[in-house]
Amino acid sequence: MQKYEMTIDGRSVTADRYEEIRNPSTGAVVGLAPVGTLDHLEMAIAAAERAFASWRRSSDAEREAACNTIARVVTENAGELATLLSMEQGKPLKGLGAEFEMGGCAAWAGYTATLKLPVTVIEDSPSKRIEMHREPVGVVGSITPWNWPLMIAIWHIVPAIRTGNTVVIKPSPFTPLGTLRMIELIAAALPPGLVNIVSGDNDIGAALSRHEKIAKVVFTGSIETGKKVMSSAAPTLKPLTLELGGNDPGIVLPDVDMSKLVEPMFWGALINSGQTCGALKRLYVHDSVYDEVCAALVAYGSQIPMGDGLDTQNVLGPLQNERQFRKVIELVEDAKAQGARVLLGGEPRSGSGYFYPVTFLAECRDGMRIVDEEQFGPVLPIIRYTDLDAAIAAANGTQFGLDASVWGSDPAQLSAVAARLEAGTVFINKHAEIAPNVPFGGIKCSGLGVEFGVEGLAAYTTIKIINAAL
Ligand code: NAD
């Protein structure tokens, strides 16, 4: 059985204990992950601190080159990493799966390399010159989830390196292998200590957030854990970027053209079997088109192949872990008991793996758990509305605020509804599209700060003003 190792200070570091990581499609052991300790974390933070002492003085060109190196390493090893990712996460190689995720890693790293945060001259007058510089913060602590483990690791690491910081990353205990291998490859191509990884249980994440030598935490995960990270970080007042859970609403207007929109609507909800923070998670459909929208989604969704990720026919995979599998079963059972009508799916698949079929539930209502909570699975509750104002109020009436969408044909009405939806991103006639040049983040309990673009990059810096008398 293949053992994966942590990488600290450019060297492979073993642990006393290893845990089996299993394929959620088959239950087979994929590999052994080291269970790091608080001592490993101290080693990693010390290495990152030493590396920071020189990396903070690196030139802009050196930082850009390091990010391009990351993009190259990821591209050169995309085949191996995609296969490992598919086996441990469950997502298929094909479709919007593991190969797509590796393509995203390379695209984000390459694009982020090109971003610049030049010195800004705020005032240049006969008596003074005031400049604004962007300084690195120090050692960045990164904590990642299990749904898009490699892409999210890249989202955290690359902007940190691009701005002169160093990194200690802690991957999810559900999906550590791909990140361990990717960091091993990346670290071998960069100066020692720039990127370090400590895998292990949740206590490593808590200790990282608390640590006085960690200058910033970038965390992607659930709202519940995000609150814990914020509280652990409070004594050291470290800046945070928190990308948290979503329960994205979509509003379908009476003039929707489903012949054009069924495909983006389906994938907006079902990408990664619904295990995506910014996926469409509750759909409000006008009464006049309710049956037509339901029928179109069912017709499209019933022919999408789901199964073992390494079978290239499949484009949807299982739930990643048993906890998530049980949660999806529980939410659907609760909805059925409350009067939801199953249009497609609705029962877990028997046999091996955490497979839950594509499921559409009609006659759902606000107040049902499947509507109010983040289901994070291949299940879409469809809610009937007659009054648009009430639908907008329901869409906005939660603690969530990651993305939202509106679907229809009249550009003026689409813009008017988009303006009233409360979310970090509002999509029109699509959902769950992200790009490295477009800032992304949640409002309300869905997050703090943004990633991507110049705004996302700036979050890895502090402002330093040089104010000179002339
Ligand atoms: P999670 O919150 O359970 O775990 C995320 C990470 O936090 C893991 O590495 C975990 O080990 C670590 N952790 C656990 N307890 C900790 C603590 N006390 N202190 C510090 N770290 C701790 O999330 P998950 O189940 O892995 O991921 C799913 C969630 O992530 C969903 O809610 C999803 O919406 C969200 N998510 C958000 C985004 C976004 O960009 N907004 C992207 C992906 C996933």
Side-chain angles (χ1 to χ4, degrees):
M1 184 47 54
Q2 182 157 0
K3 253 186 179 178
Y4 291 79
E5 304 295 1
M6 297 180 280
T7 303
I8 298 175
D9 212 7
R11 283 175 294 117
S12 180
V13 173
T14 57
D16 289 341
R17 198 158 69 80
Y18 288 76
E19 230 161 50
E20 290 178 345
I21 302 297
R22 290 178 182 273
N23 184 328
S25 292
T26 61
V29 178
V30 179
L32 297 176
V35 182
T37 61
L38 296 180
D39 287 342
H40 290 121
L41 183 64
E42 290 299 335
M43 273 171 68
I45 293 173
E49 245 202 313
R50 283 194 299 277
F52 179 63
S54 52
W55 190 245
R56 70 182 307 173
R57 314 249 166 261
S58 56
S59 68
D60 191 66
E62 284 170 309
R63 296 173 187 180
E64 184 176 346
C67 296
N68 282 325
T69 298
I70 295 175
R72 176 180 55 75
V73 168
V74 164
T75 305
E76 285 172 1
N77 296 280
E80 177 199 338
L81 291 170
T83 303
L84 182 55
L85 172 62
S86 175
M87 289 196 297
E88 77 166 340
Q89 205 285 334
K91 65 182 62 189
L93 277 176
K94 299 297 171 188
L96 300 172
E99 289 175 357
F100 169 79
E101 182 165 344
M102 292 320 302
C105 290
W108 254 267
Y111 180 79
T112 307
T114 68
L115 290 176
K116 305 261 178 221
L117 287 173
V119 173
T120 315
V121 178
I122 292 174
E123 187 174 333
D124 194 8
S125 61
S127 63
K128 61 177 100 159
R129 180 179 167 90
I130 306 177
E131 294 173 351
M132 183 173 79
H133 295 243
R134 292 276 177 180
E135 300 272 307
V137 292
V139 180
V140 171
S142 148
I143 304 173
T144 54
W146 48 259
N147 58 343
W148 294 90
L150 298 194
M151 190 140 82
I152 292 172
I154 289 290
W155 292 350
H156 291 184
I157 293 166
V158 176
I161 297 298
R162 181 68 188 89
T163 43
N165 303 284
T166 57
V167 181
V168 175
I169 181 169
K170 190 213 84 70
S172 166
F174 290 110
T175 53
L177 303 182
T179 316
L180 286 161
R181 178 67 180 136
M182 183 170 78
I183 300 302
E184 180 184 9
L185 292 162
I186 288 174
L190 295 178
L194 241 57
V195 185
N196 308 274
I197 180 164
V198 180
S199 50
D201 296 327
N202 295 343
D203 60 324
I204 303 288
L208 189 71
S209 323
R210 220 174 12 245
H211 205 286
E212 59 176 11
K213 299 278 172 59
I214 293 289
K216 173 196 169 79
V217 172
V218 50
F219 170 83
T220 304
S222 62
I223 292 176
E224 199 185 19
T225 313
K227 289 178 182 173
K228 289 184 192 160
V229 168
M230 194 171 203
S231 130
S232 316
T236 49
L237 286 178
K238 54 177 69 63
L240 301 172
T241 299
L242 301 177
E243 295 289 1
L244 308 178
N247 189 5
D248 293 4
I251 295 189
V252 182
L253 301 174
D255 62 355
V256 69
D257 180 352
M258 285 306 280
S259 65
K260 277 205 226 137
L261 296 181
V262 67
E263 186 173 343
M265 194 180 283
F266 178 86
W267 289 109
L270 271 293
I271 179 168
N272 203 26
S273 289
Q275 302 164 109
T276 298
C277 53
L280 180 56
K281 295 190 177 124
R282 47 195 171 115
L283 192 65
Y284 294 83
V285 180
H286 191 267
D287 182 47
S288 61
V289 283
Y290 192 85
D291 292 343
E292 181 197 335
V293 170
C294 289
L297 285 169
V298 168
Y300 189 90
S302 53
Q303 39 93 32
I304 302 296
M306 175 185 279
D308 187 322
L310 295 186
D311 178 341
T312 53
Q313 307 261 316
N314 293 323
V315 290
L316 287 175
L319 275 313
Q320 201 281 325
N321 55 71
E322 187 178 358
R323 188 186 65 181
Q324 197 56 38
F325 182 59
R326 299 268 160 241
K327 180 169 184 195
V328 169
I329 294 172
E330 190 180 310
L331 291 184
V332 175
E333 290 310 313
D334 179 73
K336 288 196 274 188
Q338 309 278 324
R341 186 159 50 88
V342 176
L343 300 173
L344 185 67
E347 294 286 343
R349 232 194 238 181
S350 55
S352 68
Y354 302 127
F355 286 102
Y356 202 94
V358 172
T359 295
F360 293 115
L361 299 176
E363 311 309 344
C364 290
R365 297 181 309 277
D366 289 284
M368 286 181 177
R369 288 184 62 199
I370 192 72
V371 179
D372 293 355
E373 296 180 24
E374 183 187 29
Q375 68 273 43
F376 224 55
V379 178
L380 185 65
I382 309 175
I383 306 127
R384 190 189 292 271
Y385 78 86
T386 47
D387 176 29
L388 180 59
D389 290 339
I392 294 172
N396 290 338
T398 71
Q399 64 166 337
F400 302 97
L402 196 53
D403 309 320
S405 58
V406 54
W407 306 75
S409 298
D410 173 20
Q413 203 192 6
L414 288 165
S415 300
V417 174
R420 294 175 61 193
L421 288 170
E422 296 166 4
T425 301
V426 179
F427 295 104
I428 295 178
N429 289 337
K430 56 183 169 178
H431 204 108
E433 182 187 282
I434 49 168
N437 57 339
V438 182
F440 168 72
I443 60 168
K444 300 197 259 184
C445 285
S446 287
L448 194 66
V450 295
E451 295 186 281
F452 318 154
V454 172
E455 292 79 0
L457 195 65
Y460 289 82
T461 65
T462 52
I463 287 174
K464 181 173 177 183
I465 300 292
I466 306 277
N467 188 337
L470 297 179

